[in-house]
Amino acid sequence: MQLGMVGLGRMGANMTRRLMRGGHTMVVSDLSADAVKGIAGEGAVASSSLDDLVGKLNAPRAAWVMVPAGDPTEKTVQALVSTMQPGDTIIDGGNSNFKDDVRRSKLCAAKGVRYVDVGTSGGVWGLERGYCMMIGGPKETVQRLDPIFKTLAPGRGDIPRTPGRDKLAGTAENGYIHCGPSGSGHFVKMVHNGIEYGMMQAYAEGFDIFKNATSKELPEDIRYDLNLPDIAEVWRRGSVVSSWLLDLTAIALTENPTLSEDIGFVQDSGEGRGTIQAALEEVVPAEVLTAALYTRFRSRQDHTFADKVLSAMRQKFGGHVEPTKH
């Protein structure tokens, strides 16, 4: 298929590369002319503006927006919908709030343009591993775009099948699903990220306890000088707490057991707040996820080793670089 990609940052550029490897034709746009030139040198079709990008796409057009959530995405969608024609599709693959998707889908529908929201997980590793996608939007449009999603997704790989899954249809085993109508994709991704906060916090606090097992507050005979990289490594092999986040923690601790380069300032990208807001609106208790979010707020005031572990994980899975000052 042919697809436009707007935004060539950490994820947009690698998604473009993965799609080109899969045989798709990519027309690209970015605020950085150098970024466009670089990807064009790898086989993409360069465009000089959003109007130029739309002009180089064949009807029915499809453009994937991969820019920061909030105002940048809003302006990009507004610009695209003013240029596109009925039957074209705008795909938001960033971390937009699902309520914005509902509003934008109505704006697009009024002009006959389809709108699809795609919660995308995979970070800087997605080029090789693939991207897990949670998709919202009109069923027929999502089905038409299936070749794009199938190429970006990880596929079944070597993960054992869930018992009984062979009796169920769908694309979940391939790493992507159509969640439902507009906003549902980003809603599922939002809660995914809220859960991620809690999982990361659990690992971080556990390793903080290990680090402080030498505390002088403890009786000398129960002080333990533990090898944190080895603990992370052994847990990766057969433990019930193994996960990709633990894999990334093991990498970070092997590279620098004290995490001295991570100051422990931990950002939140908005999805955690959105998850807690959804829990409030639904009157659903979410104690762990709420505490994990508040811990990130607290990390900006004073830093523990747990904060350094969180910071290291964010850098590993998403290429996030925390500020050196606050």
Side-chain angles (χ1 to χ4, degrees):
M1 290 186 69
Q2 186 194 49
L3 179 72
M5 180 64 73
V6 182
L8 299 172
R10 288 192 300 262
M11 289 185 68
N14 278 345
M15 292 171 74
T16 298
R17 293 184 177 101
R18 188 172 175 92
L19 287 165
M20 288 193 297
R21 289 181 185 179
H24 300 281
T25 301
M26 299 299 296
V27 182
V28 298
S29 174
D30 192 88
L31 293 176
S32 167
D34 288 341
V36 172
K37 182 178 179 180
I39 294 295
E42 299 178 35
V45 177
S47 68
S48 58
S49 66
L50 290 181
D51 286 350
D52 187 32
L53 177 136
V54 171
K56 290 179 176 177
L57 293 172
N58 302 321
R61 303 165 188 83
W64 189 301
V65 178
M66 208 65 189
V67 302
D71 193 53
T73 295
E74 184 69 27
K75 289 180 177 177
T76 302
V77 171
Q78 293 278 359
L80 285 172
V81 76
S82 69
T83 305
M84 285 183 148
Q85 302 299 316
D88 293 347
T89 301
I90 296 172
I91 307 160
D92 178 7
N95 281 325
S96 291
N97 185 284
F98 71 98
K99 294 178 181 179
D100 287 335
D101 292 317
V102 175
R103 174 178 54 79
R104 290 177 191 143
S105 69
K106 294 176 182 177
L107 170 71
C108 290
K111 297 192 175 184
V113 175
R114 312 291 191 264
Y115 182 90
V116 174
D117 53 286
V118 183
T120 309
S121 181
V124 297
W125 298 74
L127 176 60
E128 302 301 332
R129 289 173 57 101
Y131 301 88
C132 173
M133 289 167 290
M134 296 137 270
I135 306 162
K139 183 177 180 180
E140 65 278 6
T141 304
V142 173
Q143 289 177 336
R144 184 174 70 81
L145 295 168
D146 187 74
I148 296 295
F149 301 134
K150 188 173 183 179
T151 299
L152 286 171
R156 290 187 182 180
D158 57 1
I159 298 174
R161 300 194 79 175
T162 299
R165 190 74 215 185
D166 58 318
K167 300 179 178 65
L168 303 176
T171 59
E173 285 188 300
N174 292 319
Y176 65 104
I177 57 170
H178 181 209
C179 299
S182 295
S184 63
H186 277 145
F187 180 81
V188 174
K189 175 58 162 51
M190 177 187 74
V191 179
H192 160 285
N193 283 23
I195 292 170
E196 179 184 289
Y197 281 26
M199 293 174 65
M200 292 172 69
Q201 188 63 35
Y203 283 128
E205 291 178 8
F207 280 97
D208 203 358
I209 293 169
F210 288 151
K211 180 180 181 293
N212 287 284
T214 58
S215 171
K216 293 181 180 179
E217 300 296 319
L218 296 168
E220 191 169 352
D221 59 351
I222 58 167
R223 294 178 194 169
Y224 303 118
D225 186 8
L226 300 169
N227 186 312
L228 274 57
D230 279 0
I231 292 172
E233 187 63 33
V234 76
W235 280 358
R236 295 181 60 225
R237 304 178 185 280
S239 165
V240 296
V241 299
S242 60
S243 73
W244 187 42
L245 287 173
L246 182 62
D247 295 345
L248 300 176
T249 303
I251 294 171
L253 288 170
T254 298
E255 292 175 349
N256 183 353
T258 65
L259 301 181
S260 58
E261 296 181 4
D262 295 277
I263 67 168
F265 184 107
V266 187
Q267 293 278 22
D268 69 289
S269 51
E271 294 85 357
R273 300 188 194 200
T275 300
I276 303 311
Q277 183 61 41
L280 290 170
E281 292 172 357
E282 297 170 13
V283 197
V284 172
E287 298 96 331
V288 171
L289 306 189
T290 303
L293 176 64
Y294 286 163
T295 297
R296 293 193 176 203
F297 296 165
R298 195 266 311 139
S299 79
R300 298 162 204 174
Q301 299 172 8
D302 60 286
H303 310 308
T304 66
F305 188 74
D307 298 330
K308 291 177 179 286
V309 176
L310 286 172
S311 179
M313 278 190 273
R314 292 187 83 245
Q315 195 282 324
K316 289 299 179 189
F317 72 70
H320 304 290
V321 178
E322 310 291 5
T324 56
K325 294 182 180 180
H326 66 281

